[in-house]
Amino acid sequence: CYLPTSWLALPLLAKKEYNYDSTLYSFGLPEGQSLNLPVCACILLLAPGKGRKADGGKDDFDGSDAVRPYTPVSDNSVLGKFDLLIKRYDGGAVSQYLHALPIGAEVSFKHIKFNIKAQYPFAGKTTFTLIAAGTGIAPMYQALWKLMGTEGDNRKVTLIYGNKSPEDILLKEELDGWASRSAGRLKIVHVVGNQPDDPAPPGWADTPTYTAETGWVDEAKLKKHAFPPAEDTLVFVCGLPGMYAALCGPRNEKELKDGSTLQKLGYTADMVAKM
């Protein structure tokens, strides 16, 4: 990776509103330089002074720095820059900090070994289920760059992607494009809803590029759409802490939590990558 293990300041080259609450940020690298980030891996971003007091409110900053992991949505073939797609949360210290920055401002990044996750080509695995919610799509998109874009890689992938509404789906056109070109290798399942029993929004229906589901990503949907447990399958999970708690247990624990959805369905730690 181009980024060192200590903080490196890089310029904000551009920012583009992606939808009502998400922005695509481009950060500069030297001319001709790739980020050269392992797949899959994330990078760390520093927001000076945006650390908060324990159990404090959204404005209870304590003078410390905030650090967040982000996965670029640009491929390593992109030279001279990389892109982050970041959702803004009300009271989100880092997302609000970034959104207020002017073009040309410098932002510090670094890359550490802990943030290197399951690595392509994912040896011994022949089927993949990618489970994501919200901006958890970023590491899945990074994996899809390799799985869909590497000549001779014909393995099958199912993406199960949860969002509050159809308008919240990130990278939808790009995902549709991959599905339409995949000759059946990539199946996409979009799950939309704020509650498990939410009805389908008006016009929400299957299309040639995706299956339309409603509610939450839950046991029934995984039984229906995910590749079943097997030594040669791999399940990726990325979302908010509540999603990890329900599906597999905390992100920083390799083992699956007893009673979690994936554990109950028969998956083991070797079949699950917590992103």
Side-chain angles (χ1 to χ4, degrees), residues 141 144-145 148-149 173-183 186:
Y141 193 69
L144 285 169
W145 270 112
M148 294 291 112
E173 289 183 10
E174 292 84 350
L175 294 171
D176 283 347
W178 264 332
S180 63
R181 296 188 299 270
S182 73
L186 174 61

Side-chain angles (χ1 to χ4, degrees), residues 23-238:
T23 305
L24 187 69
Y25 299 90
S26 296
F27 294 95
L29 297 171
E31 185 175 353
Q33 175 67 51
S34 165
L35 183 60
N36 200 26
L37 186 67
V39 176
C40 298
C42 62
I43 59 179
L44 296 178
L45 182 153
L46 180 74
K50 295 300 180 180
R52 290 200 180 102
K53 299 174 185 175
D55 302 320
K58 66 178 184 177
D59 295 319
D60 288 334
F61 299 112
D62 63 5
S64 65
D65 300 332
V67 177
R68 298 287 186 275
Y70 292 109
T71 302
V73 295
S74 49
D75 185 54
N76 282 328
S77 61
V78 175
L79 303 180
K81 69 166 191 169
F82 64 91
D83 298 330
L84 299 179
L85 181 57
I86 298 176
K87 184 183 286 284
R88 285 186 310 286
Y89 296 96
D90 182 34
V94 177
S95 60
Q96 297 290 350
Y97 158 78
L98 279 175
H99 196 247
L101 288 179
I103 302 302
E106 290 195 329
V107 178
S108 291
F109 295 92
K110 68 178 178 180
H111 178 57
I112 59 174
K113 187 176 181 180
F114 173 79
N115 288 323
I116 299 176
K117 305 299 181 181
Q119 292 294 285
Y120 185 87
F122 314 119
K125 303 298 184 179
T126 62
T127 57
F128 302 88
T129 302
L130 315 181
I131 306 172
T135 51
I137 190 62
M140 311 307 177
Y141 193 69
Q142 185 189 51
L144 285 169
W145 270 112
K146 287 290 191 182
L147 290 165
M148 294 291 112
T150 301
E151 189 172 349
D153 193 333
N154 297 311
R155 294 174 292 180
K156 291 192 172 183
V157 183
T158 294
L159 169 66
I160 303 173
Y161 184 22
N163 281 284
K164 291 180 291 185
S165 72
E167 292 73 34
D168 287 288
I169 297 172
L170 301 175
L171 301 168
K172 184 175 179 299
E173 289 183 10
E174 292 84 350
L175 294 171
D176 283 347
W178 264 332
S180 63
R181 296 188 299 270
S182 73
R185 280 209 304 128
L186 174 61
K187 174 185 176 181
I188 296 175
V189 181
H190 286 302
V191 183
V192 300
N194 278 303
Q195 297 297 327
D197 54 355
D198 272 0
W204 186 237
D206 294 352
T207 74
T209 55
Y210 63 82
T211 299
E213 293 272 17
T214 55
W216 285 355
V217 177
D218 54 21
E219 184 173 341
K221 293 180 183 67
L222 295 182
K223 274 186 179 178
K224 182 178 178 181
H225 297 294
F227 289 102
E231 287 187 6
D232 63 352
T233 201
L234 187 59
V235 180
F236 293 79
V237 180
C238 190

